[in-house]
Amino acid sequence: MQPLPPEEARRDGAEDAQWSRPECQVWTGTLLLGTCLLYCARVSMPVCTVSMSQDFGWNKKEAGIVLSSFFWGYCLTQVVGGHLGDRIGGEKVILLSASAWGFITAATPLLAHLSSAHLVFMTFSRILTGLLQGVYFPALTSLLSQKVRESERAFTYSAVGAGSQCGTLVTGAVGSLLLDWYGWPSVFYFSGGLTLLWVCYVYRYLLTGKELILALGVLAQGLPVSRHTKVPWRQLFRKPSVWAAISSQLSSACSFFILLSWLPTFFQETFPSSKGWVFNVVPWLVAIPASLFSGFLSDHLINQGYRTIAVRKFMQVMGLGLSSVFALCLGHTSSFCKSVVFASASIGLQTFNHSGISVNIQDLAPSCAGFLFGVANTAGALAGVVGVCLGGYLIETTGSWTSMFNLVAAISGLGLCTFLLFGEAQRVDLSPTHEDL
């Protein structure tokens, strides 16, 4: 019998390694909880910043250093996390990093009181937390691209992604109560302790010690550098569809960071007598079912025979196009109720990006989806930091919130147009050319 070509053999092997439906359901629930705990740990510091500033005598500038230091580390490990996920398995990368960030989060109160240099220790711990959490979503992308069937990929990714809104809500609600009742250390104990319990569950029931030891051994010895395991840089970045995916991911991340950072201030300044829990909770409550619905709709349309790329582009029209329309509406209304509706619609529709560009990266290059997502998400995080600063500058110089919302629409529109023109869903050919040999 004629042996299969290497590319087809690898593809068949990958299909055999995919999760069964019961396995997929268990892992989806587990990873949703993991994403929730990721955000619980991530937003613990913002929730506690005011109390910690009072205890340690931080001014606004010093508090800003601590808060922003997370993103210094977060931007640095996206590509590494994706590459590790592609090579040793995304679930192992997630578990190893979660055990570390869970421990650091739970130990934050101890670190804060190690010496009088509170600012230095807290800044260092946040950088380290950012470094460890930066590997999560690229490793997750790698894992789902290898283990989940294409027809179920959008719903699975959207369901797991909904954990980010859940985590923000949990820490915002439970964390605020713990802060009032027991002080700021309890918030870190809560989020870090739950993460460590989750790690114990995954280790005991879903992974074996042998797998983790093998993964640690590979990391200790260095990743293999044979031609088969090298990332095909040249083939990837020659494809317009790859650049379209990176551009769209950059735009979606940047616009999300801008809204996430400035919406609370917009509501506080525009509607000073409004209840904070309304505009801080309602948009995220809307985003959870919106994320699940987008994944269900995407998979349903593909199973009904619609072309994959047509579905991906439709999701981006909703996630970047229609969401930016509602963002623009925020700058042209003086009604609090309408503003909450528009903000909820904009944040909710942005979750459609999970079923569009996030899954499209897996369509293009499942064998190195983690690496590619890491590149795109690094660009998005860096652009988000710049976008947040630029948004503040526009608000300050123009004296109008409309300019900031216009910026969101412009960034979203640019990414959407690029994806509509050059986006594809066919797997890119990563076989080496004569130039690469």
Side-chain angles (χ1 to χ4, degrees):
M1 188 172 69
Q2 196 75 12
L4 288 172
E7 181 63 28
E8 291 186 19
R10 286 196 297 270
R11 189 174 301 179
D12 288 345
E15 290 175 356
D16 292 339
Q18 288 178 336
W19 290 326
S20 64
R21 187 173 294 275
E23 286 177 322
C24 187
Q25 292 171 345
V26 170
W27 272 104
T28 299
T30 301
L31 292 170
L32 188 155
L33 181 57
T35 306
C36 175
L37 294 171
L38 175 94
Y39 269 78
C40 283
R42 183 178 299 186
V43 302
S44 292
M45 182 63 76
V47 168
C48 299
T49 298
V50 174
S51 295
M52 295 178 74
S53 298
Q54 293 172 351
D55 286 355
F56 300 135
W58 296 341
N59 57 33
K60 287 288 191 297
K61 182 179 178 181
E62 290 170 330
I65 291 173
V66 175
L67 288 171
S68 63
S69 59
F70 173 87
F71 294 98
W72 303 347
Y74 189 70
C75 292
L76 296 177
T77 51
Q78 298 282 330
V79 177
V80 173
H83 186 56
L84 288 175
D86 294 335
R87 299 281 76 83
I88 67 173
E91 70 277 22
K92 303 178 188 68
V93 176
I94 288 171
L95 187 66
L96 292 172
S97 64
S99 61
W101 94 59
F103 175 78
I104 291 172
T105 303
T108 295
L110 175 62
L111 293 172
H113 292 94
L114 276 179
S115 75
S116 58
H118 312 293
L119 185 66
V120 174
F121 277 92
M122 287 299 93
T123 300
F124 175 75
S125 70
R126 291 301 289 174
I127 293 174
L128 194 55
T129 302
L131 286 168
L132 292 165
Q133 290 200 352
V135 306
Y136 184 88
F137 282 106
L140 175 67
T141 301
S142 175
L143 174 63
L144 298 185
S145 70
Q146 296 174 21
K147 296 293 188 178
V148 180
R149 295 179 179 87
E150 183 178 343
S151 61
E152 301 173 356
R153 206 171 278 164
F155 178 78
T156 303
Y157 199 97
S158 297
V160 173
S164 59
Q165 288 83 31
C166 293
T168 303
L169 285 172
V170 168
T171 303
V174 179
S176 297
L177 293 175
L178 290 173
L179 186 65
D180 292 338
W181 294 345
Y182 304 108
W184 64 264
S186 63
V187 180
F188 291 98
Y189 295 144
F190 170 75
S191 55
L194 285 181
T195 300
L196 293 176
L197 287 175
W198 179 82
V199 167
C200 291
Y201 165 77
V202 176
Y203 174 75
R204 181 168 183 178
Y205 295 105
L206 297 180
L207 288 178
T208 65
K210 183 178 179 181
E211 289 177 310
L212 286 178
I213 292 172
L214 182 62
L216 286 171
V218 171
L219 292 176
Q221 296 173 7
L223 292 172
V225 292
S226 65
R227 181 174 296 274
H228 173 66
T229 60
K230 284 183 178 179
V231 175
W233 305 84
R234 292 185 180 182
Q235 295 94 302
L236 272 177
F237 295 121
R238 283 176 181 151
K239 309 296 182 181
S241 58
V242 170
W243 285 108
I246 292 174
S247 173
S248 189
Q249 175 65 24
L250 185 155
S251 297
S252 63
C254 185
S255 58
F256 175 76
F257 280 131
I258 294 173
L259 291 177
L260 180 69
S261 300
W262 287 112
L263 273 182
T265 306
F266 163 75
F267 276 103
Q268 289 169 1
E269 292 189 356
T270 309
F271 308 102
S273 60
S274 61
K275 300 292 185 182
W277 67 266
V278 176
F279 56 79
N280 283 328
V281 171
V282 172
W284 305 106
L285 284 176
V286 172
I288 295 172
S291 181
L292 296 175
F293 173 74
S294 71
F296 168 79
L297 178 62
S298 178
D299 287 341
H300 176 73
L301 291 174
I302 291 174
N303 289 329
Q304 290 297 311
Y306 290 91
R307 293 177 62 225
T308 301
I309 187 57
V311 175
R312 304 292 187 239
K313 288 182 177 181
F314 171 72
M315 292 295 157
Q316 288 306 110
V317 168
M318 303 292 286
L320 286 176
L322 191 56
S323 68
S324 64
V325 172
F326 283 107
L328 284 174
C329 292
L330 278 168
H332 296 87
T333 181
S334 57
S335 166
F336 175 70
C337 291
K338 288 183 179 179
S339 294
V340 172
V341 171
F342 292 151
S344 300
S346 184
I347 295 295
L349 286 167
Q350 283 202 351
T351 64
F352 279 61
N353 292 316
H354 294 321
S355 305
I357 188 58
S358 297
V359 186
N360 180 247
I361 289 174
Q362 301 173 41
D363 297 331
L364 295 174
S367 63
C368 52
F371 164 79
L372 188 56
F373 184 87
V375 172
N377 217 34
T378 298
L382 292 172
V385 173
V386 174
V388 170
C389 294
L390 182 57
Y393 173 79
L394 290 173
I395 297 166
E396 187 71 26
T397 55
T398 64
S400 170
W401 284 93
T402 304
S403 59
M404 189 272 287
F405 294 121
N406 289 340
L407 175 65
V408 171
I411 293 171
S412 299
L414 180 62
L416 176 61
C417 290
T418 304
F419 188 69
L420 291 178
L421 288 172
F422 301 108
E424 295 289 344
Q426 292 181 342
R427 189 174 302 189
V428 298
D429 182 12
L430 298 180
S431 57
T433 63
H434 291 294
E435 300 175 27
D436 304 315
L437 296 174

